[in-house]
Amino acid sequence: MEHMKLILLGPPGAGKGTQAELISKRLGIPTISTGNILRAAVKDGTPIGLQAKAFMDAGKLVPDDVILGIVEERLSQPDCAKGYILDGVPRTIAQAESLNKAGVVFDAVLSIEVLDEEIEQRMTGRRTCTRCGASYHLTTKPPLKPGVCDTCGSELIQREDDKLETVARRLEVYRKETEPLKNYYTKHGNLKTIPNVGSIEAVNQEIMKVLGQ
């Protein structure tokens, strides 16, 4: 299937970014990550980027219409003509409906299914080096010496984002705001559920199978 337009759904820590990269390489289509295009629009000082910056500088959430304006601006660029993968948007039913009204339709909405307990284990086990930024995981990629970076010998810390309270809060927001999108896209007939089949490669094979690749 050419010109494939995809959305990746899944809780924080489900590995959407990693899968997006793999799909992007295999299908030759760009990944549109909301965080990245928001930062780029702010940096480039586009009119809508300046609007977003005003909200961010004030410590407020960037409203839907501004985020969707930036997304639509990005989707109109030539590299998206053959398709793209959206990661991080839509986040809510309101955003999905706005994209629909703007005529942005998707071939498949891939929902990566991972249990909350597993997400909590994945994220709370992460450790980062204070000096060189190297990443470790207590169970899947532990440092040789507990709490010490293999590369530069500096201290490893748990980032605020990876603490249990933060992870639990992010999961709660996801379940409340984003999970309803699964029903929305089921009604539109394009939701594809991707079971958590273990390794990154196994999940990617599952995605390619679902996409008929």
Side-chain angles (χ1 to χ4, degrees):
M1 202 199 289
E2 283 217 348
H3 302 291
M4 215 176 267
K5 295 172 180 161
L6 308 171
I7 295 177
L8 274 183
L9 286 182
K16 296 187 296 294
T18 308
Q19 291 302 334
E21 270 176 51
L22 292 171
I23 301 167
S24 171
K25 279 194 191 115
R26 291 193 170 168
L27 298 182
I29 55 177
T31 295
I32 314 295
S33 147
T34 331
N36 291 350
I37 58 171
L38 199 52
R39 282 189 288 276
V42 168
K43 188 168 154 274
D44 297 343
T46 67
I48 208 149
L50 293 172
Q51 261 182 295
K53 188 176 185 306
F55 284 101
M56 287 152 82
D57 287 350
K60 293 179 183 166
L61 281 176
V62 181
D64 276 4
D65 57 342
V66 177
I67 287 188
L68 294 171
I70 288 173
V71 169
E72 284 168 34
E73 200 170 67
R74 178 69 186 85
L75 297 185
S76 66
Q77 290 176 14
D79 65 334
C80 290
K82 287 187 177 164
Y84 45 79
I85 306 152
L86 275 189
D87 173 15
V89 75
R91 252 199 182 111
T92 59
I93 300 274
Q95 288 184 355
E97 286 182 332
S98 297
L99 285 170
N100 200 18
K101 278 192 195 122
V104 181
V105 289
F106 301 95
D107 298 298
V109 178
L110 305 167
S111 176
I112 301 173
E113 301 293 320
V114 188
L115 293 172
D116 284 8
E117 301 81 81
E118 190 177 332
I119 295 283
E120 285 172 2
Q121 223 177 355
R122 278 186 195 183
M123 294 178 80
T124 56
R126 291 178 185 168
R127 294 294 181 271
T128 310
C129 175
T130 46
R131 186 189 291 166
C132 72
S135 300
Y136 297 88
H137 194 281
L138 298 184
T139 47
T140 56
K141 192 191 168 190
L144 297 171
K145 194 173 161 197
V148 179
C149 177
D150 296 351
T151 317
C152 71
S154 298
E155 184 197 359
L156 299 180
I157 55 154
Q158 184 183 39
R159 295 179 331 160
E160 281 302 319
D161 267 7
D162 297 332
K163 290 189 172 160
L164 186 57
E165 314 80 85
T166 315
V167 173
R169 204 165 48 240
R170 287 176 67 196
L171 280 170
E172 200 183 317
V173 169
Y174 172 78
R175 298 285 173 223
K176 198 170 99 198
E177 292 187 356
T178 308
E179 200 153 54
L181 284 170
K182 282 156 62 172
N183 274 340
Y184 178 86
Y185 286 114
T186 299
K187 285 177 191 155
H188 281 70
N190 53 359
L191 186 85
K192 313 278 183 199
T193 304
I194 309 298
N196 179 24
V197 282
S199 70
I200 289 170
E201 190 47 49
V203 172
N204 191 254
Q205 278 170 6
E206 199 66 31
I207 289 173
M208 289 302 156
K209 202 162 70 187
V210 159
L211 295 177
Q213 295 293 313

